[in-house]
Amino acid sequence: MKYSISDLAQLSGISVHNIRIWERRYGALKPSRTEGNTRYYDDEQLKRLLCIAGLYHAGHKISRACALDKDDMSALLLEQIGGALLEEHRFEYFILQIVNQSLVYNEAGINELISDSFQVNGVQGTYKHVIYPILVRMGLMWLNESLCPSQEHFLSAIIRQKLLAAIDSLNPVVGEPGSGWLLFLPEDEDHDIGLLLASYLLRAAGRPVVYLGPKVPLFALANTADATKPQNLLFFMTRARPVADAQDYVDLLSAQFPAANILLSGNIKVLGSLDYPPGVTWLRSLADFESLIANPTEMPKP
């Protein structure tokens, strides 16, 4: 794969300005050039930047990190796993190393890092502050065609397994009709990682959940809603689609389920262009969702 400096910044969380400084002062990276003299970076340069950034977040000086070769850098990173990390850097450290291991399809390394993050950051802290940012970064790169789709799918499959195991470890909460959450994806959506994360967070907070998963046709959604009478409907729209089609779907849900709070998240370009009818709320971030879980009385009324 070929990456621009903006791509590197997107995946590493290091600004373009700092990458250029590290490159100029410390020889951190050595970009190649196209026939048209455009700079680009390959997989090895991306992995090197992720390692350098990981060492930086582990408390090492940039000058020292940039002077290390590949083997010494890897050895030093291994020493940091499970060690004491500064409070403000511990999430970013795990994010960078998990992304790095996903680029080389190292399932064992990813599992070890996630397990160590559970120990350092807690299970919920790992999903909220490590896994979720990784999905956002890799998802944006995949949508921009700057990341190999197989790498995104590989990591998503591992995270999906972890989320299912975490959900299975929680006791189901039975709620009264009209009090619970109904989670689903429209029938043309099948990427359910975000929905699984929402299901885990709701269940961990003691909220009753009915999870339908991906590709749910409207008649099935209506049948379930008639039986369970959920207070809240939550779904994701991640696919790129015409704004008019998304608007029609949101308007249809609003008309069909007037007594429910309807919440959605997903593709910013699409959702940011919609006109939201009463009772429909766009969740722009994980913080918005957590706020509603913690303060259900502040839920917008339909």
Side-chain angles (χ1 to χ4, degrees):
M1 292 288 294
K2 293 182 179 180
Y3 307 95
S4 68
I5 195 168
S6 296
D7 294 332
L8 297 191
Q10 180 73 66
L11 269 179
S12 69
I14 304 299
S15 70
V16 169
H17 175 72
N18 280 343
I19 293 174
R20 285 176 173 153
I21 289 176
W22 293 0
E23 189 177 298
R24 185 170 62 252
R25 291 184 182 175
Y26 309 115
L29 304 175
K30 296 179 180 178
S32 302
R33 291 186 180 270
T34 65
E35 292 182 1
N37 206 33
T38 301
R39 290 152 52 102
Y40 71 89
Y41 303 81
D42 59 18
D43 286 328
E44 289 304 313
Q45 293 293 296
L46 171 59
K47 286 183 281 187
R48 177 172 171 79
L49 176 62
L50 292 172
C51 288
I52 291 171
L55 290 172
Y56 166 73
H57 286 292
H60 296 277
K61 292 183 177 180
I62 288 299
S63 56
R64 182 195 179 197
C66 293
L68 298 173
D69 62 23
K70 180 180 178 180
D71 291 339
D72 289 340
M73 201 176 291
S74 297
L76 191 55
L77 281 168
L78 284 174
E79 292 178 11
Q80 304 300 323
I81 296 178
L85 298 171
L86 295 175
E87 180 79 14
E88 64 268 28
H89 293 293
R90 71 181 195 274
F91 299 132
E92 192 65 28
Y93 172 82
F94 284 104
I95 290 170
L96 291 166
Q97 297 320 302
I98 291 171
V99 171
N100 205 347
Q101 294 304 312
S102 73
L103 296 176
V104 294
Y105 304 97
N106 185 355
E107 183 173 358
I110 292 171
N111 283 329
E112 181 180 359
L113 283 161
I114 292 176
S115 295
D116 284 321
S117 182
F118 284 163
Q119 294 295 319
V120 175
N121 302 312
V123 175
Q124 286 201 46
T126 294
Y127 285 122
K128 290 192 294 185
H129 302 298
V130 177
I131 299 302
Y132 177 74
I134 288 173
L135 293 173
V136 171
R137 289 186 193 182
M138 298 195 76
L140 288 172
M141 292 290 291
W142 180 70
L143 288 173
N144 292 333
E145 298 183 348
S146 300
L147 187 70
C148 178
S150 63
Q151 293 166 335
E152 190 265 344
H153 285 294
F154 170 76
L155 181 56
S156 292
I158 295 174
I159 292 173
R160 192 174 188 278
Q161 292 172 7
K162 296 288 186 182
L163 280 168
L164 289 171
I167 290 170
D168 191 54
S169 69
L170 300 173
N171 293 323
V173 178
V174 179
E176 295 295 326
S179 66
W181 290 71
L182 177 56
L183 276 56
F184 69 98
L185 295 182
E187 53 190 319
D188 61 349
E189 295 273 1
D190 57 5
H191 288 265
D192 64 344
I193 296 289
L195 200 68
L196 283 170
L197 177 58
S199 177
Y200 169 74
L201 294 175
L202 285 166
R203 295 170 192 269
R207 305 291 188 266
V209 174
V210 174
Y211 186 89
L212 297 183
K215 296 185 175 181
V216 178
L218 275 172
F219 76 87
L221 180 63
N223 289 341
T224 307
D226 286 343
T228 61
K229 301 205 169 27
Q231 182 181 18
N232 310 294
L233 273 64
L234 173 66
F235 70 101
F236 286 71
M237 278 187 173
T238 57
R239 287 181 56 250
R241 68 183 73 218
V243 172
D245 291 352
Q247 186 71 61
D248 288 344
Y249 189 80
V250 168
D251 290 343
L252 182 60
L253 287 182
S254 177
Q256 190 161 353
F257 305 101
N261 300 306
I262 300 173
L263 305 108
L264 72 159
S265 189
N267 190 309
I268 295 175
K269 291 181 180 179
V270 175
L271 301 187
S273 301
L274 299 183
D275 293 321
Y276 291 94
V280 180
T281 301
W282 173 25
L283 299 175
R284 291 170 172 79
S285 68
L286 183 61
D288 287 349
F289 182 54
E290 288 186 287
S291 178
L292 290 181
I293 296 176
N295 304 288
T297 57
E298 297 181 7
M299 185 79 67
K301 296 301 181 184

